[in-house]
Amino acid sequence: QLVESGGGLVQPGGSLRVSCVASGFTLSNHEMNWVRQAPGRGLEWISHISSSGASTYYADSVRGRFTISRDIAKNSVFLQMNSLRVEDTAIYYCVRADDGYLHFDLWGQGALVTVSS
Amino acid sequence: QMAQSPSSLSASVGDRVTITCRASEGIGSFLAWYQQKAGKAPKLLIYAASILQSGVPSRFSGSSSGTEFTLAISNLQPEDVGTYYCQKYNSAPYTFGPGTKLEIK
């Protein structure tokens, strides 16, 4: 399973780090992603890290502000969010990609991030 | 870009409904369908355009023709209420469709 933590209320321009702890599988065998959902809106993929950790990808909406990383020893994935904007308010889901077909097969319960003054 | 239609639909228990997703470029079979119920995380239904995820009822099915993909739900049940999303995962960005909200009459 995947369990996110670290959500909360932050002011515009501030920073926050969301964490995701994986259990029951090894991160080094899977690509991992972050997907967010603003209130009342659809799903938006925002970041990806390869199984080796060597490659990362970002949506245009967060590139240059957000950074995905992982700690294999802690079996954890992180999303560091800087220069936060009101429009970054959303539930942030940690999502595993299948190690064969690469579809998103396991989702966390989500962490709510609210950006407001 | 992933175009999805309709944006909403209402059907009766026992009906068959279809949702269509169109990719703006070729994505092979790298297309998945997810169901999201209110207040819950999305749940994988179908991957590789037509492979049913383990544990998903067989009344759900997926098909494709070129860049057009279809999710069909036969014998609609009350628990099928929710929002359905398609997603391409051939390469980043792993774009989701805008969603289809399904209601029961």
Side-chain angles (χ1 to χ4, degrees):
Chain A
Q1 66 172 356
L2 297 167
V3 179
E4 299 96 335
S5 61
L9 174 64
V10 61
Q11 292 188 337
S15 298
L16 198 66
R17 188 176 86 154
V18 183
S19 302
C20 169
V21 178
S23 59
F25 69 96
T26 303
L27 273 188
S28 57
N29 292 336
H30 292 268
E31 302 184 353
M32 296 296 294
N33 298 270
W34 287 96
V35 174
R36 70 182 180 183
Q37 186 170 36
R41 305 295 295 274
L43 301 172
E44 179 187 18
W45 167 83
I46 57 170
S47 188
H48 165 103
I49 186 166
S50 64
S51 55
S52 68
S55 299
T56 57
Y57 300 99
Y58 299 92
D60 290 344
S61 57
V62 306
R63 187 177 293 114
R65 300 187 299 124
F66 289 13
T67 302
I68 189 171
S69 63
R70 66 179 194 174
D71 185 330
I72 294 299
K74 295 181 178 179
N75 221 32
S76 296
V77 183
F78 309 99
L79 186 67
Q80 176 67 43
M81 301 181 287
N82 299 329
S83 302
L84 281 161
R85 306 167 180 166
V86 171
E87 56 266 33
D88 294 319
T89 294
I91 296 173
Y92 285 74
Y93 293 104
C94 176
V95 190
R96 184 184 77 177
D98 176 79
D99 60 359
Y101 284 89
L102 303 180
H103 54 278
F104 291 11
D105 68 341
L106 181 64
W107 295 65
Q109 86 288 353
L112 177 61
V113 173
T114 303
V115 185
S116 174
S117 55
Chain B
Q1 300 281 7
M2 301 298 291
Q4 188 174 338
S5 62
S7 57
S8 66
L9 74 147
S10 181
S12 300
V13 172
D15 283 354
R16 181 179 187 274
V17 300
T18 59
I19 299 169
T20 298
C21 188
R22 182 173 285 108
S24 59
E25 59 185 11
I27 60 171
S29 295
F30 292 91
L31 189 284
W33 291 97
Y34 304 88
Q35 174 196 63
Q36 186 178 34
K37 297 187 177 183
K40 301 294 186 181
K43 170 189 171 184
L44 174 68
L45 297 175
I46 286 170
Y47 61 96
S50 62
I51 299 177
L52 195 67
Q53 172 72 347
S54 175
V56 174
S58 59
R59 62 178 183 275
F60 290 89
S61 63
S63 62
S64 66
S65 177
T67 58
E68 186 168 296
F69 302 85
T70 301
L71 172 69
I73 311 173
S74 60
N75 188 23
L76 196 65
Q77 296 299 301
E79 60 265 31
D80 298 334
V81 167
T83 302
Y84 293 79
Y85 297 92
C86 63
Q87 183 210 18
K88 76 170 193 73
Y89 56 92
N90 60 312
S91 62
Y94 304 114
T95 310
F96 290 89
T100 296
K101 187 173 184 179
L102 173 61
E103 298 178 336
I104 301 293
K105 288 180 181 176

